[in-house]
Amino acid sequence: MTIKLNDTALLRAGPYIDGQWRTSSAGTLAVRNPATSAIVTEIATADRAMTNEAILAAHRAMKDWQAVSAKARAQVLRRWFDLMMAHQDDLAVIMTTEQGKTLAESRGEVAYGAAFMEWFGEQAKRVDGDVIPAPSGDKRVICIKQPVGVVAAITPWNFPNAMIARKAAPALAAGCAIVIKPASETPLSALAMAELAERAGVPAGVLNVVVGSSSEIGPALTDSPLVRKLTFTGSTEVGIQLEQACAATLKRTSMELGGNAPFIVFEDADIEAAVQGALISKYRNSGQTCVCTNRILVQASIHDEFVERLVAETAALKMGNGLDEGVEQGPLVNVGAVEEVERLVRLSTEAGAKVELGGARSELGPCYFVPTVLTGVTPEMAVFRNEIFGPVAPVTAFADEADAIALANDTEFGLASYFYTRDIGRVWRVAEALDYGMVGINEGIISNEMAPFGGVKASGSGREGSKYGIDDYLEIKYILMGGLDR
Ligand code: SIN
């Protein structure tokens, strides 16, 4: 093991099922550091049978957990929050080592993830029901909210902590038990979170982590009638397969899928603010977020000035091993990710896009791609149509507001969108016209635990975070009380 931590017990080596750490298992999984391509460690994996054990354990444990008062559940979540923040540095080192993002970004992600524990602990106490006017005087109509049942969560490698937190926190707050299948690239962050959940007092079986192959674990989660809800963050392609697999048992699903975020800069914008917003939104996590700017649309009259400044700022980004001081751009998660970015850039330049900066792999190692700016990008090009998931900023010029809105909406996706303007009328017109679940105005980062995160169209369904985020984990039960006049 080559990760140096203050608390070495955070490094766990196998699945966490029913409060037990499993070390003997179906197989092993090698965890690699994308910065060096070296194997960091090998961990034990779960198979279909072990996943079924986890589901059964969750089903059993949920009976007691849902009976615990909301206040007591909130206290457990608060302790989990405190522990995550107390171990922020160690969790960040684990994350950077297995995922590649810079240490500053990993620390930020741990705080972002922990915030969901704090937020949903507070929300647990606000799961109110209703008393509804009855059809006659001898009756009363009441609604109560109850946990939806055992939750399965399939989480991605790009946010190895926060995407688990955004699902596990509302599930536990609502009184559900959860089985988490983290991405195979980043299991160590998930297991470290489970270790802290155990220390926080989450009872055995209420939270389980099954690491291993999707083809073993996925069908166990989707086919089990005991699992009543599946929540997924990942690609639209896999989201559709999961929806289909969940249909046979009519599970509730929430899907946080791909994006193709437009970033519109109008001629009345504060150009410097727009360049800074584009940088943070595009190059966060080396371009590997679902809400990263995917297409920069700039009004023709300010196009050249904007591009000049964007290129200068992008060229100044320091690339390297995320663990090293001052690094602002880490590697991509694996070689496959680099190959895909390379393919999209090649197809687009062959179709006429101009490389203003970068455009190729870096000599730093097989997982590095140089931050890139492309101009002359048109709607037919691969970088315009596909989610890039890498450090490539494609720029397209537009004529007027109608043109910008048409270009922005010209995609099957509808997750995040951004625009920069100082015209108050335009703020409302454009915000309402964009076919997206989220709109950032004069801001390049919009994610926080208090806001509803989610998309429309091929970007999925459901909202995570905010006061709405717990609803996906609750069922409404209608109770009619009659005979009250007797
Ligand atoms: C994602 O990329 O899936 C999540 C990004 C965020 O929460 O900001």
Side-chain angles (χ1 to χ4, degrees):
M1 188 76 78
T2 54
I3 308 182
K4 289 200 175 55
L5 301 177
N6 297 314
D7 184 346
T8 51
L10 291 176
L11 278 179
R12 286 293 183 170
Y16 179 63
I17 297 172
D18 202 11
Q20 303 293 316
W21 292 97
R22 304 290 184 88
T23 45
S24 66
S25 69
T28 59
L29 173 71
V31 182
R32 277 180 195 277
N33 180 345
T36 61
S37 301
I39 292 180
V40 178
T41 187
E42 296 217 344
I43 60 169
T45 53
D47 58 8
R48 192 170 179 140
M50 283 168 94
T51 306
N52 282 328
E53 273 183 62
I55 295 169
L56 267 176
H59 182 65
R60 276 194 307 269
M62 214 192 112
K63 290 197 171 52
D64 288 340
W65 180 244
Q66 65 184 324
V68 167
S69 73
K71 189 166 175 154
R73 289 200 299 270
Q75 283 162 350
V76 171
L77 282 165
R78 176 70 209 195
R79 284 198 294 275
W80 198 6
F81 163 81
D82 287 338
L83 284 164
M84 279 173 59
M85 291 312 293
H87 292 84
Q88 185 179 16
D89 288 340
D90 276 352
L91 293 175
V93 169
I94 293 172
M95 190 187 303
T96 294
T97 306
E98 64 181 350
Q99 198 272 347
K101 67 176 70 178
T102 66
L103 212 40
E105 284 199 67
S106 293
R107 293 184 91 254
E109 186 188 330
V110 174
Y112 175 41
F116 290 105
M117 310 308 177
E118 184 186 43
W119 172 263
F120 281 111
E122 290 158 359
Q123 290 303 104
K125 295 178 278 185
R126 299 188 181 92
V127 178
D128 303 329
D130 298 296
V131 181
I132 294 172
S136 61
D138 65 333
K139 296 184 175 62
R140 296 291 182 273
V141 175
I142 300 157
C143 287
I144 62 169
K145 292 184 183 166
Q146 293 183 303
V148 68
V150 171
V151 173
I154 303 182
T155 59
W157 50 261
N158 63 341
F159 286 85
N161 178 307
M163 296 304 102
I164 291 177
R166 200 155 75 182
K167 299 173 189 313
L172 267 54
C176 300
I178 190 164
V179 180
I180 301 162
K181 192 254 176 259
S184 294
E185 291 83 352
T186 55
L188 300 178
S189 293
L191 296 172
M193 286 175 80
E195 166 69 24
L196 294 179
E198 186 177 44
R199 292 185 202 175
V202 174
V206 169
L207 181 135
N208 307 272
V209 181
V210 283
V211 289
S213 117
S214 301
S215 57
E216 278 287 316
I217 296 170
L221 297 175
T222 54
D223 296 355
S224 168
L226 295 181
V227 173
R228 294 313 316 145
K229 177 187 168 70
L230 183 129
T231 168
F232 171 66
T233 295
S235 71
T236 297
E237 192 188 349
V238 175
I240 291 169
Q241 286 166 14
L242 289 170
E243 284 280 15
Q244 286 166 345
C246 287
T249 46
L250 289 174
K251 291 187 205 327
R252 186 99 73 85
T253 57
S254 28
M255 297 281 159
E256 203 267 88
L257 307 177
N260 184 359
F263 185 102
I264 311 170
V265 188
F266 289 100
E267 61 190 0
D268 63 81
D270 174 340
I271 296 190
E272 186 47 33
V275 170
Q276 293 308 322
L279 273 180
I280 183 84
S281 169
K282 175 67 256 182
Y283 298 112
R284 178 179 174 218
N285 199 9
S286 299
Q288 301 170 109
T289 90
C290 304
V291 291
C292 272
T293 288
N294 210 57
R295 297 169 292 150
I296 301 181
L297 311 175
V298 187
Q299 198 146 11
S301 52
I302 55 161
H303 174 273
D304 292 355
E305 181 185 352
F306 180 89
V307 168
E308 192 181 322
R309 292 203 207 182
L310 181 68
V311 167
E313 296 277 358
T314 304
L317 292 172
K318 186 173 174 200
M319 199 170 38
N321 185 330
L323 290 172
D324 293 344
E325 193 64 35
V327 166
E328 294 163 301
Q329 284 289 286
L332 300 193
V333 69
N334 54 36
V335 176
V338 174
E339 285 169 357
E340 178 58 7
V341 172
E342 200 171 36
R343 187 182 75 87
L344 294 175
V345 170
R346 193 188 62 248
L347 288 173
S348 303
T349 50
E350 281 170 6
K354 180 175 172 217
V355 178
E356 302 284 350
L357 181 75
R361 294 177 187 221
S362 155
E363 287 163 4
L364 286 172
C367 295
Y368 291 88
F369 196 88
V370 179
T372 294
V373 178
L374 302 177
T375 53
V377 172
T378 56
E380 308 71 46
M381 291 182 185
V383 287
F384 191 101
R385 303 242 65 88
N386 296 277
E387 184 173 38
I388 301 167
F389 241 63
V392 177
V395 183
T396 302
F398 68 84
D400 56 22
E401 193 177 299
D403 191 20
I405 292 168
L407 283 165
N409 287 341
D410 181 13
T411 171
E412 74 266 33
F413 295 106
L415 192 60
S417 56
Y418 309 86
F419 66 93
Y420 276 66
T421 179
R422 284 178 290 193
D423 177 332
I424 190 77
R426 175 170 278 163
V427 160
W428 281 101
R429 284 194 305 275
V430 177
E432 288 172 4
L434 288 170
D435 291 337
Y436 289 83
M438 297 178 283
V439 185
I441 304 168
N442 299 324
E443 286 292 337
I445 293 282
I446 54 176
S447 310
N448 63 72
E449 79 281 13
M450 293 164 285
F453 189 105
V456 298
K457 297 162 61 183
S459 292
S461 60
R463 292 295 177 270
E464 296 191 315
S466 83
K467 66 176 180 178
Y468 307 109
I470 200 163
D471 294 345
D472 276 349
Y473 298 86
L474 293 166
E475 285 287 6
I476 294 172
K477 183 178 279 177
Y478 152 51
I479 301 172
L480 178 70
M481 292 177 69
L484 300 183
D485 56 347
R486 293 193 285 275

